Short mmCIF file of all heavy atoms in Angstrom, two decimals:
data_model
loop_
_atom_site.label_atom_id
_atom_site.label_comp_id
_atom_site.label_asym_id
_atom_site.label_seq_id
_atom_site.Cartn_x
_atom_site.Cartn_y
_atom_site.Cartn_z
N MET A 89 59.72 76.77 121.29
CA MET A 89 59.32 78.11 120.94
C MET A 89 60.37 79.14 121.37
O MET A 89 60.63 80.08 120.65
CB MET A 89 57.99 78.45 121.59
CG MET A 89 56.80 77.81 120.94
SD MET A 89 55.30 78.49 121.61
CE MET A 89 54.52 76.98 122.13
N LEU A 90 60.92 78.93 122.56
CA LEU A 90 61.93 79.84 123.05
C LEU A 90 63.19 79.78 122.18
O LEU A 90 63.84 80.80 121.93
CB LEU A 90 62.28 79.51 124.50
CG LEU A 90 63.20 80.49 125.22
CD1 LEU A 90 62.60 81.88 125.24
CD2 LEU A 90 63.45 80.01 126.63
N PHE A 91 63.50 78.58 121.71
CA PHE A 91 64.66 78.41 120.82
C PHE A 91 64.46 79.21 119.54
O PHE A 91 65.40 79.85 119.06
CB PHE A 91 64.85 76.93 120.50
CG PHE A 91 65.99 76.68 119.55
CD1 PHE A 91 67.31 76.80 119.98
CD2 PHE A 91 65.75 76.35 118.23
CE1 PHE A 91 68.36 76.59 119.10
CE2 PHE A 91 66.79 76.13 117.35
CZ PHE A 91 68.10 76.25 117.79
N ARG A 92 63.25 79.20 119.00
CA ARG A 92 62.97 79.94 117.76
C ARG A 92 63.14 81.44 117.96
O ARG A 92 63.71 82.13 117.12
CB ARG A 92 61.58 79.62 117.26
CG ARG A 92 61.29 80.33 115.96
CD ARG A 92 60.01 79.90 115.34
NE ARG A 92 59.85 80.65 114.10
CZ ARG A 92 58.76 80.70 113.40
NH1 ARG A 92 57.73 80.01 113.77
NH2 ARG A 92 58.69 81.42 112.31
N LEU A 93 62.66 81.94 119.10
CA LEU A 93 62.80 83.37 119.39
C LEU A 93 64.28 83.73 119.52
O LEU A 93 64.73 84.74 118.98
CB LEU A 93 62.04 83.74 120.66
CG LEU A 93 62.16 85.20 121.10
CD1 LEU A 93 61.60 86.13 120.04
CD2 LEU A 93 61.45 85.41 122.41
N ALA A 94 65.04 82.90 120.24
CA ALA A 94 66.47 83.16 120.39
C ALA A 94 67.17 83.13 119.03
O ALA A 94 68.04 83.96 118.75
CB ALA A 94 67.08 82.13 121.33
N TYR A 95 66.79 82.19 118.18
CA TYR A 95 67.37 82.10 116.84
C TYR A 95 67.05 83.35 116.02
O TYR A 95 67.93 83.92 115.38
CB TYR A 95 66.85 80.85 116.13
CG TYR A 95 67.29 80.76 114.69
CD1 TYR A 95 68.59 80.37 114.36
CD2 TYR A 95 66.42 81.09 113.65
CE1 TYR A 95 69.00 80.31 113.05
CE2 TYR A 95 66.83 81.03 112.34
CZ TYR A 95 68.11 80.63 112.03
OH TYR A 95 68.52 80.58 110.73
N LEU A 96 65.79 83.79 116.06
CA LEU A 96 65.40 84.98 115.31
C LEU A 96 66.19 86.21 115.79
O LEU A 96 66.65 87.01 114.97
CB LEU A 96 63.91 85.25 115.49
CG LEU A 96 62.97 84.56 114.53
CD1 LEU A 96 61.53 84.76 114.98
CD2 LEU A 96 63.14 85.10 113.13
N LEU A 97 66.32 86.35 117.10
CA LEU A 97 67.07 87.50 117.62
C LEU A 97 68.54 87.44 117.23
O LEU A 97 69.14 88.47 116.92
CB LEU A 97 66.91 87.57 119.14
CG LEU A 97 65.51 87.91 119.63
CD1 LEU A 97 65.45 87.80 121.15
CD2 LEU A 97 65.11 89.30 119.18
N MET A 98 69.12 86.25 117.22
CA MET A 98 70.52 86.11 116.83
C MET A 98 70.71 86.46 115.35
O MET A 98 71.64 87.19 114.99
CB MET A 98 71.00 84.68 117.09
CG MET A 98 72.47 84.49 116.82
SD MET A 98 73.05 82.82 117.12
CE MET A 98 72.20 81.92 115.85
N VAL A 99 69.82 85.97 114.50
CA VAL A 99 69.91 86.26 113.07
C VAL A 99 69.77 87.76 112.82
O VAL A 99 70.51 88.35 112.03
CB VAL A 99 68.86 85.46 112.28
CG1 VAL A 99 68.74 85.95 110.85
CG2 VAL A 99 69.20 83.98 112.31
N ARG A 100 68.81 88.38 113.51
CA ARG A 100 68.62 89.83 113.35
C ARG A 100 69.86 90.60 113.81
O ARG A 100 70.26 91.58 113.20
CB ARG A 100 67.39 90.31 114.12
CG ARG A 100 66.11 89.76 113.61
CD ARG A 100 65.77 90.33 112.27
NE ARG A 100 64.50 89.77 111.84
CZ ARG A 100 64.17 89.56 110.62
NH1 ARG A 100 65.00 89.90 109.65
NH2 ARG A 100 63.02 89.03 110.30
N SER A 101 70.46 90.16 114.92
CA SER A 101 71.65 90.84 115.43
C SER A 101 72.80 90.78 114.44
O SER A 101 73.47 91.78 114.19
CB SER A 101 72.09 90.20 116.75
OG SER A 101 71.08 90.35 117.72
N PHE A 102 73.03 89.62 113.83
CA PHE A 102 74.07 89.52 112.83
C PHE A 102 73.74 90.37 111.60
O PHE A 102 74.62 90.95 110.98
CB PHE A 102 74.29 88.06 112.42
CG PHE A 102 74.99 87.24 113.47
CD1 PHE A 102 74.52 86.00 113.82
CD2 PHE A 102 76.12 87.72 114.11
CE1 PHE A 102 75.15 85.24 114.80
CE2 PHE A 102 76.77 86.98 115.09
CZ PHE A 102 76.28 85.73 115.43
N GLY A 103 72.46 90.45 111.26
CA GLY A 103 72.06 91.30 110.15
C GLY A 103 72.34 92.77 110.42
O GLY A 103 72.79 93.50 109.54
N TRP A 104 72.10 93.19 111.65
CA TRP A 104 72.38 94.58 112.02
C TRP A 104 73.87 94.86 111.96
O TRP A 104 74.28 95.95 111.57
CB TRP A 104 71.83 94.90 113.40
CG TRP A 104 70.33 94.96 113.46
CD1 TRP A 104 69.48 95.31 112.45
CD2 TRP A 104 69.52 94.65 114.57
NE1 TRP A 104 68.18 95.23 112.88
CE2 TRP A 104 68.18 94.83 114.17
CE3 TRP A 104 69.78 94.23 115.86
CZ2 TRP A 104 67.12 94.61 115.03
CZ3 TRP A 104 68.72 94.02 116.71
CH2 TRP A 104 67.41 94.21 116.30
N LEU A 105 74.68 93.91 112.38
CA LEU A 105 76.13 94.10 112.31
C LEU A 105 76.59 94.25 110.86
O LEU A 105 77.49 95.05 110.56
CB LEU A 105 76.85 92.93 112.97
CG LEU A 105 76.74 92.87 114.49
CD1 LEU A 105 77.39 91.58 115.01
CD2 LEU A 105 77.37 94.08 115.14
N ALA A 106 75.98 93.50 109.96
CA ALA A 106 76.33 93.61 108.54
C ALA A 106 75.95 94.98 107.99
O ALA A 106 76.61 95.50 107.09
CB ALA A 106 75.66 92.50 107.74
N LEU A 107 74.89 95.57 108.52
CA LEU A 107 74.45 96.89 108.05
C LEU A 107 75.46 97.99 108.37
O LEU A 107 75.51 99.02 107.69
CB LEU A 107 73.10 97.25 108.65
CG LEU A 107 71.89 96.54 108.08
CD1 LEU A 107 70.63 96.95 108.85
CD2 LEU A 107 71.73 96.85 106.61
N LEU A 108 76.24 97.80 109.40
CA LEU A 108 77.21 98.83 109.80
C LEU A 108 78.25 99.09 108.71
O LEU A 108 78.78 100.19 108.61
CB LEU A 108 77.90 98.42 111.10
CG LEU A 108 77.01 98.38 112.34
CD1 LEU A 108 77.81 97.85 113.52
CD2 LEU A 108 76.46 99.76 112.65
N ALA A 109 78.54 98.08 107.91
CA ALA A 109 79.57 98.21 106.89
C ALA A 109 79.02 98.70 105.55
O ALA A 109 79.79 98.88 104.61
CB ALA A 109 80.27 96.87 106.69
N ARG A 110 77.74 98.93 105.45
CA ARG A 110 77.13 99.31 104.16
C ARG A 110 76.98 100.82 104.03
O ARG A 110 76.90 101.54 105.01
CB ARG A 110 75.76 98.65 104.03
CG ARG A 110 75.91 97.15 103.94
CD ARG A 110 74.61 96.43 103.94
NE ARG A 110 73.68 96.99 102.99
CZ ARG A 110 72.47 96.54 102.83
NH1 ARG A 110 72.04 95.53 103.54
NH2 ARG A 110 71.66 97.07 101.94
N SER A 111 76.87 101.28 102.80
CA SER A 111 76.71 102.71 102.55
C SER A 111 75.24 103.10 102.72
O SER A 111 74.34 102.26 102.70
CB SER A 111 77.16 103.06 101.14
OG SER A 111 76.27 102.50 100.19
N ASP A 112 75.02 104.40 102.87
CA ASP A 112 73.65 104.90 103.02
C ASP A 112 72.82 104.64 101.78
O ASP A 112 71.63 104.36 101.87
CB ASP A 112 73.67 106.40 103.33
CG ASP A 112 74.16 106.69 104.73
OD1 ASP A 112 74.12 105.77 105.57
OD2 ASP A 112 74.57 107.83 104.99
N THR A 113 73.43 104.74 100.61
CA THR A 113 72.70 104.52 99.36
C THR A 113 72.19 103.10 99.25
O THR A 113 71.03 102.87 98.89
CB THR A 113 73.60 104.84 98.15
OG1 THR A 113 74.11 106.16 98.28
CG2 THR A 113 72.83 104.72 96.86
N SER A 114 73.02 102.13 99.59
CA SER A 114 72.57 100.74 99.51
C SER A 114 71.50 100.44 100.56
O SER A 114 70.58 99.67 100.31
CB SER A 114 73.74 99.77 99.65
OG SER A 114 74.31 99.85 100.93
N GLU A 115 71.61 101.07 101.74
CA GLU A 115 70.57 100.89 102.76
C GLU A 115 69.24 101.48 102.29
O GLU A 115 68.19 100.87 102.48
CB GLU A 115 71.01 101.55 104.06
CG GLU A 115 72.12 100.82 104.77
CD GLU A 115 72.59 101.53 106.02
OE1 GLU A 115 71.90 102.46 106.49
OE2 GLU A 115 73.65 101.16 106.53
N ASP A 116 69.29 102.66 101.68
CA ASP A 116 68.06 103.28 101.17
C ASP A 116 67.43 102.44 100.08
O ASP A 116 66.21 102.28 100.04
CB ASP A 116 68.36 104.70 100.65
CG ASP A 116 68.73 105.66 101.76
OD1 ASP A 116 68.44 105.36 102.94
OD2 ASP A 116 69.33 106.71 101.45
N ALA A 117 68.26 101.90 99.20
CA ALA A 117 67.73 101.05 98.13
C ALA A 117 67.08 99.80 98.71
O ALA A 117 66.01 99.38 98.26
CB ALA A 117 68.85 100.67 97.16
N GLU A 118 67.71 99.21 99.70
CA GLU A 118 67.13 98.00 100.32
C GLU A 118 65.80 98.31 100.99
O GLU A 118 64.84 97.54 100.88
CB GLU A 118 68.08 97.40 101.34
CG GLU A 118 67.54 96.13 101.95
CD GLU A 118 68.46 95.50 102.97
OE1 GLU A 118 69.50 96.10 103.30
OE2 GLU A 118 68.13 94.40 103.44
N ILE A 119 65.72 99.44 101.67
CA ILE A 119 64.46 99.84 102.31
C ILE A 119 63.36 100.01 101.28
O ILE A 119 62.22 99.56 101.47
CB ILE A 119 64.67 101.13 103.14
CG1 ILE A 119 65.50 100.80 104.37
CG2 ILE A 119 63.33 101.73 103.54
CD1 ILE A 119 65.95 102.03 105.14
N LEU A 120 63.67 100.65 100.16
CA LEU A 120 62.67 100.83 99.11
C LEU A 120 62.22 99.50 98.53
O LEU A 120 61.02 99.29 98.29
CB LEU A 120 63.22 101.73 98.00
CG LEU A 120 63.40 103.20 98.40
CD1 LEU A 120 64.09 103.95 97.27
CD2 LEU A 120 62.08 103.83 98.75
N VAL A 121 63.16 98.58 98.31
CA VAL A 121 62.81 97.26 97.79
C VAL A 121 61.92 96.52 98.79
O VAL A 121 60.90 95.93 98.42
CB VAL A 121 64.08 96.45 97.47
CG1 VAL A 121 63.74 94.99 97.21
CG2 VAL A 121 64.80 97.05 96.29
N LEU A 122 62.28 96.56 100.05
CA LEU A 122 61.49 95.86 101.06
C LEU A 122 60.10 96.46 101.23
O LEU A 122 59.12 95.74 101.41
CB LEU A 122 62.24 95.85 102.40
CG LEU A 122 63.50 95.00 102.42
CD1 LEU A 122 64.25 95.21 103.73
CD2 LEU A 122 63.18 93.54 102.20
N ARG A 123 59.99 97.78 101.16
CA ARG A 123 58.67 98.42 101.24
C ARG A 123 57.79 98.00 100.07
O ARG A 123 56.59 97.75 100.24
CB ARG A 123 58.81 99.94 101.28
CG ARG A 123 59.27 100.45 102.60
CD ARG A 123 59.36 101.96 102.60
NE ARG A 123 59.82 102.44 103.89
CZ ARG A 123 60.06 103.70 104.15
NH1 ARG A 123 59.90 104.62 103.21
NH2 ARG A 123 60.47 104.06 105.34
N HIS A 124 58.38 97.93 98.88
CA HIS A 124 57.61 97.51 97.72
C HIS A 124 57.19 96.04 97.86
O HIS A 124 56.07 95.68 97.53
CB HIS A 124 58.41 97.71 96.43
CG HIS A 124 57.66 97.34 95.21
ND1 HIS A 124 56.57 98.07 94.77
CD2 HIS A 124 57.79 96.30 94.36
CE1 HIS A 124 56.08 97.49 93.69
NE2 HIS A 124 56.81 96.40 93.42
N GLU A 125 58.10 95.23 98.36
CA GLU A 125 57.79 93.81 98.56
C GLU A 125 56.63 93.65 99.55
O GLU A 125 55.73 92.84 99.34
CB GLU A 125 59.02 93.08 99.07
CG GLU A 125 58.84 91.59 99.20
CD GLU A 125 60.12 90.93 99.65
OE1 GLU A 125 60.60 91.24 100.77
OE2 GLU A 125 60.64 90.11 98.89
N VAL A 126 56.64 94.42 100.62
CA VAL A 126 55.55 94.37 101.60
C VAL A 126 54.24 94.79 100.94
O VAL A 126 53.19 94.17 101.17
CB VAL A 126 55.88 95.24 102.83
CG1 VAL A 126 54.66 95.45 103.70
CG2 VAL A 126 57.00 94.61 103.63
N ALA A 127 54.27 95.84 100.14
CA ALA A 127 53.06 96.30 99.46
C ALA A 127 52.50 95.21 98.54
O ALA A 127 51.28 94.99 98.49
CB ALA A 127 53.33 97.58 98.68
N VAL A 128 53.37 94.55 97.80
CA VAL A 128 52.93 93.47 96.91
C VAL A 128 52.33 92.33 97.71
O VAL A 128 51.27 91.79 97.38
CB VAL A 128 54.11 92.97 96.04
CG1 VAL A 128 53.75 91.69 95.31
CG2 VAL A 128 54.52 94.04 95.06
N LEU A 129 52.98 91.94 98.80
CA LEU A 129 52.48 90.84 99.62
C LEU A 129 51.16 91.17 100.29
O LEU A 129 50.30 90.31 100.44
CB LEU A 129 53.52 90.44 100.66
CG LEU A 129 54.78 89.79 100.10
CD1 LEU A 129 55.82 89.60 101.20
CD2 LEU A 129 54.45 88.47 99.44
N ARG A 130 50.98 92.43 100.68
CA ARG A 130 49.70 92.82 101.29
C ARG A 130 48.55 92.73 100.29
O ARG A 130 47.42 92.48 100.67
CB ARG A 130 49.80 94.24 101.84
CG ARG A 130 50.53 94.30 103.14
CD ARG A 130 50.51 95.67 103.73
NE ARG A 130 51.18 95.65 105.02
CZ ARG A 130 51.58 96.72 105.65
NH1 ARG A 130 51.38 97.92 105.12
NH2 ARG A 130 52.17 96.62 106.82
N ARG A 131 48.85 92.95 99.02
CA ARG A 131 47.79 92.81 98.01
C ARG A 131 47.43 91.35 97.79
O ARG A 131 46.31 91.04 97.40
CB ARG A 131 48.26 93.41 96.68
CG ARG A 131 48.31 94.91 96.68
CD ARG A 131 48.45 95.46 95.28
NE ARG A 131 49.63 94.95 94.59
CZ ARG A 131 50.72 95.65 94.33
NH1 ARG A 131 50.79 96.90 94.71
NH2 ARG A 131 51.73 95.10 93.70
N GLN A 132 48.36 90.43 98.02
CA GLN A 132 48.13 89.01 97.73
C GLN A 132 47.52 88.25 98.90
O GLN A 132 46.84 87.26 98.69
CB GLN A 132 49.45 88.34 97.35
CG GLN A 132 50.01 88.86 96.05
CD GLN A 132 51.37 88.25 95.74
OE1 GLN A 132 51.91 87.49 96.51
NE2 GLN A 132 51.91 88.61 94.60
N VAL A 133 47.76 88.67 100.12
CA VAL A 133 47.31 87.93 101.29
C VAL A 133 46.27 88.75 102.02
O VAL A 133 46.49 89.92 102.33
CB VAL A 133 48.50 87.62 102.22
CG1 VAL A 133 48.03 86.91 103.48
CG2 VAL A 133 49.54 86.80 101.50
N ALA A 134 45.11 88.13 102.30
CA ALA A 134 44.04 88.85 102.98
C ALA A 134 44.47 89.26 104.40
O ALA A 134 44.33 90.40 104.79
CB ALA A 134 42.79 87.99 103.05
N ARG A 135 44.97 88.32 105.18
CA ARG A 135 45.38 88.64 106.54
C ARG A 135 46.53 87.72 106.95
O ARG A 135 46.31 86.52 107.12
CB ARG A 135 44.22 88.47 107.49
CG ARG A 135 44.55 88.83 108.92
CD ARG A 135 43.32 88.76 109.79
NE ARG A 135 43.68 88.88 111.18
CZ ARG A 135 43.51 89.98 111.90
NH1 ARG A 135 42.97 91.03 111.35
NH2 ARG A 135 43.85 90.01 113.14
N PRO A 136 47.73 88.27 107.14
CA PRO A 136 48.84 87.43 107.56
C PRO A 136 48.64 86.94 109.00
O PRO A 136 47.97 87.59 109.80
CB PRO A 136 50.06 88.34 107.46
CG PRO A 136 49.50 89.72 107.50
CD PRO A 136 48.11 89.66 106.95
N LYS A 137 49.23 85.80 109.32
CA LYS A 137 49.08 85.23 110.65
C LYS A 137 50.47 85.02 111.28
O LYS A 137 50.97 83.90 111.31
CB LYS A 137 48.33 83.90 110.56
CG LYS A 137 46.92 84.06 110.09
CD LYS A 137 46.22 82.72 110.00
CE LYS A 137 44.79 82.92 109.59
NZ LYS A 137 44.53 82.79 108.20
N PRO A 138 51.08 86.11 111.79
CA PRO A 138 52.40 85.95 112.42
C PRO A 138 52.27 85.21 113.74
O PRO A 138 51.27 85.35 114.45
CB PRO A 138 52.86 87.39 112.64
CG PRO A 138 51.62 88.19 112.67
CD PRO A 138 50.62 87.49 111.79
N ASP A 139 53.27 84.41 114.08
CA ASP A 139 53.23 83.72 115.36
C ASP A 139 53.81 84.63 116.45
O ASP A 139 54.18 85.77 116.20
CB ASP A 139 53.95 82.38 115.29
CG ASP A 139 55.44 82.52 114.99
OD1 ASP A 139 55.92 83.65 114.89
OD2 ASP A 139 56.09 81.48 114.85
N TRP A 140 53.88 84.14 117.67
CA TRP A 140 54.27 84.98 118.80
C TRP A 140 55.71 85.47 118.68
O TRP A 140 56.02 86.59 119.11
CB TRP A 140 54.03 84.24 120.11
CG TRP A 140 54.98 83.10 120.33
CD1 TRP A 140 54.81 81.81 119.94
CD2 TRP A 140 56.25 83.16 120.96
NE1 TRP A 140 55.89 81.07 120.29
CE2 TRP A 140 56.79 81.85 120.93
CE3 TRP A 140 56.98 84.17 121.55
CZ2 TRP A 140 58.04 81.55 121.46
CZ3 TRP A 140 58.23 83.87 122.09
CH2 TRP A 140 58.74 82.57 122.04
N ALA A 141 56.59 84.66 118.11
CA ALA A 141 57.98 85.10 117.97
C ALA A 141 58.09 86.25 116.97
O ALA A 141 58.83 87.22 117.21
CB ALA A 141 58.85 83.93 117.52
N ASP A 142 57.33 86.18 115.88
CA ASP A 142 57.33 87.28 114.90
C ASP A 142 56.79 88.56 115.53
O ASP A 142 57.34 89.64 115.32
CB ASP A 142 56.49 86.90 113.68
CG ASP A 142 57.08 85.76 112.91
OD1 ASP A 142 58.31 85.65 112.84
OD2 ASP A 142 56.29 84.95 112.36
N ARG A 143 55.71 88.43 116.30
CA ARG A 143 55.13 89.61 116.95
C ARG A 143 56.10 90.22 117.96
O ARG A 143 56.17 91.44 118.10
CB ARG A 143 53.81 89.25 117.61
CG ARG A 143 52.70 88.97 116.61
CD ARG A 143 51.35 88.89 117.26
NE ARG A 143 51.23 87.85 118.26
CZ ARG A 143 50.84 86.61 118.03
NH1 ARG A 143 50.50 86.26 116.81
NH2 ARG A 143 50.76 85.74 119.01
N ALA A 144 56.87 89.37 118.67
CA ALA A 144 57.82 89.88 119.66
C ALA A 144 58.94 90.67 118.97
O ALA A 144 59.33 91.74 119.45
CB ALA A 144 58.41 88.71 120.47
N VAL A 145 59.44 90.17 117.85
CA VAL A 145 60.50 90.86 117.12
C VAL A 145 59.98 92.18 116.56
O VAL A 145 60.63 93.23 116.67
CB VAL A 145 61.07 89.98 116.00
CG1 VAL A 145 62.01 90.76 115.10
CG2 VAL A 145 61.79 88.77 116.59
N ILE A 146 58.78 92.17 115.99
CA ILE A 146 58.19 93.40 115.44
C ILE A 146 57.97 94.43 116.53
O ILE A 146 58.26 95.61 116.36
CB ILE A 146 56.89 93.08 114.68
CG1 ILE A 146 57.20 92.29 113.42
CG2 ILE A 146 56.13 94.36 114.35
CD1 ILE A 146 55.98 91.72 112.72
N ALA A 147 57.47 94.00 117.69
CA ALA A 147 57.24 94.92 118.80
C ALA A 147 58.56 95.54 119.29
O ALA A 147 58.62 96.74 119.57
CB ALA A 147 56.53 94.21 119.94
N ALA A 148 59.61 94.72 119.38
CA ALA A 148 60.90 95.23 119.83
C ALA A 148 61.47 96.23 118.83
O ALA A 148 62.01 97.28 119.21
CB ALA A 148 61.87 94.07 120.04
N LEU A 149 61.35 95.93 117.54
CA LEU A 149 61.87 96.84 116.52
C LEU A 149 61.04 98.11 116.43
O LEU A 149 61.57 99.19 116.15
CB LEU A 149 61.91 96.14 115.16
CG LEU A 149 62.92 95.00 115.04
CD1 LEU A 149 62.76 94.30 113.70
CD2 LEU A 149 64.33 95.51 115.21
N ALA A 150 59.73 98.01 116.66
CA ALA A 150 58.86 99.18 116.58
C ALA A 150 59.23 100.21 117.65
O ALA A 150 59.04 101.41 117.44
CB ALA A 150 57.41 98.77 116.72
N ARG A 151 59.76 99.76 118.77
CA ARG A 151 60.17 100.69 119.82
C ARG A 151 61.34 101.56 119.38
O ARG A 151 61.58 102.63 119.93
CB ARG A 151 60.55 99.94 121.09
CG ARG A 151 59.37 99.28 121.73
CD ARG A 151 59.80 98.50 122.96
NE ARG A 151 58.67 98.49 123.86
CZ ARG A 151 58.67 99.07 125.06
NH1 ARG A 151 59.74 99.66 125.50
NH2 ARG A 151 57.58 99.04 125.81
N LEU A 152 62.10 101.11 118.38
CA LEU A 152 63.25 101.88 117.90
C LEU A 152 62.85 102.97 116.91
O LEU A 152 63.66 103.84 116.60
CB LEU A 152 64.26 100.93 117.23
CG LEU A 152 64.84 99.84 118.13
CD1 LEU A 152 65.71 98.90 117.30
CD2 LEU A 152 65.61 100.44 119.28
N LEU A 153 61.63 102.90 116.40
CA LEU A 153 61.17 103.88 115.40
C LEU A 153 60.83 105.20 116.07
O LEU A 153 60.38 105.22 117.22
CB LEU A 153 59.93 103.35 114.67
CG LEU A 153 60.14 102.12 113.81
CD1 LEU A 153 58.81 101.63 113.27
CD2 LEU A 153 61.09 102.41 112.67
N PRO A 154 61.01 106.30 115.36
CA PRO A 154 60.61 107.60 115.91
C PRO A 154 59.09 107.67 116.07
O PRO A 154 58.35 106.97 115.39
CB PRO A 154 61.11 108.61 114.88
CG PRO A 154 61.38 107.85 113.65
CD PRO A 154 61.62 106.43 114.05
N GLY A 155 58.63 108.52 116.95
CA GLY A 155 57.20 108.61 117.27
C GLY A 155 56.32 109.02 116.11
O GLY A 155 55.20 108.55 115.98
N THR A 156 56.80 109.88 115.23
CA THR A 156 55.99 110.34 114.10
C THR A 156 56.56 109.77 112.82
O THR A 156 57.09 110.49 111.97
CB THR A 156 55.97 111.87 114.04
OG1 THR A 156 57.31 112.32 113.96
CG2 THR A 156 55.31 112.48 115.26
N CYS A 157 56.43 108.46 112.65
CA CYS A 157 57.04 107.83 111.49
C CYS A 157 56.05 107.69 110.32
O CYS A 157 56.41 107.20 109.27
CB CYS A 157 57.60 106.46 111.85
SG CYS A 157 56.36 105.28 112.36
N GLY A 158 54.80 108.09 110.51
CA GLY A 158 53.84 107.97 109.41
C GLY A 158 53.47 106.54 109.15
O GLY A 158 53.50 106.09 108.02
N GLY A 159 53.13 105.82 110.18
CA GLY A 159 52.83 104.40 110.06
C GLY A 159 51.51 104.12 109.37
O GLY A 159 50.96 104.96 108.65
N ILE A 160 50.97 102.97 109.59
CA ILE A 160 49.74 102.51 108.94
C ILE A 160 48.60 103.45 109.29
O ILE A 160 48.41 103.83 110.45
CB ILE A 160 49.41 101.08 109.38
CG1 ILE A 160 50.51 100.14 108.93
CG2 ILE A 160 48.07 100.62 108.83
CD1 ILE A 160 50.39 98.72 109.45
N GLY A 161 47.83 103.82 108.31
CA GLY A 161 46.66 104.64 108.52
C GLY A 161 46.91 106.14 108.45
O GLY A 161 46.02 106.93 108.61
N SER A 162 48.13 106.54 108.20
CA SER A 162 48.38 107.99 108.12
C SER A 162 48.66 108.42 106.71
O SER A 162 48.78 107.70 105.81
CB SER A 162 49.54 108.39 109.01
OG SER A 162 50.71 107.67 108.69
#
């Protein structure tokens, strides 16, 4: 389990490094595509079941978001 968490963090770190070289327009387009993909998946699945490694990554990334980001329920 610890290996999986370390792997996820390493993959995410390399992904963030790749983002540094991209333009703002391509980043905005990717965000819009991913938001739409999440909306489609939420309509198809009643309740997702993330494991502990997924929850740890989401919790760590959520700390980077601004306080008034208009999250779920707003």
Side-chain angles (χ1 to χ4, degrees):
M89 285 190 235
L90 187 59
F91 178 73
R92 182 172 180 192
L93 178 61
Y95 174 77
L96 273 171
L97 292 174
M98 185 180 67
V99 168
R100 295 290 180 211
S101 297
F102 287 134
W104 290 331
L105 289 174
L107 285 177
L108 293 175
R110 294 175 49 181
S111 69
D112 288 340
T113 305
S114 66
E115 289 177 13
D116 292 342
E118 182 180 6
I119 289 171
L120 290 174
V121 168
L122 291 173
R123 285 181 180 176
H124 182 69
E125 185 177 62
V126 167
V128 169
L129 292 173
R130 283 185 177 165
R131 287 194 302 252
Q132 294 176 357
V133 178
R135 182 175 170 104
K137 295 179 177 96
D139 63 3
W140 70 271
D142 295 325
R143 290 192 300 269
V145 171
I146 292 170
L149 292 174
R151 293 178 151 244
L152 300 175
L153 295 174
T156 57
C157 64
I160 297 173
S162 56

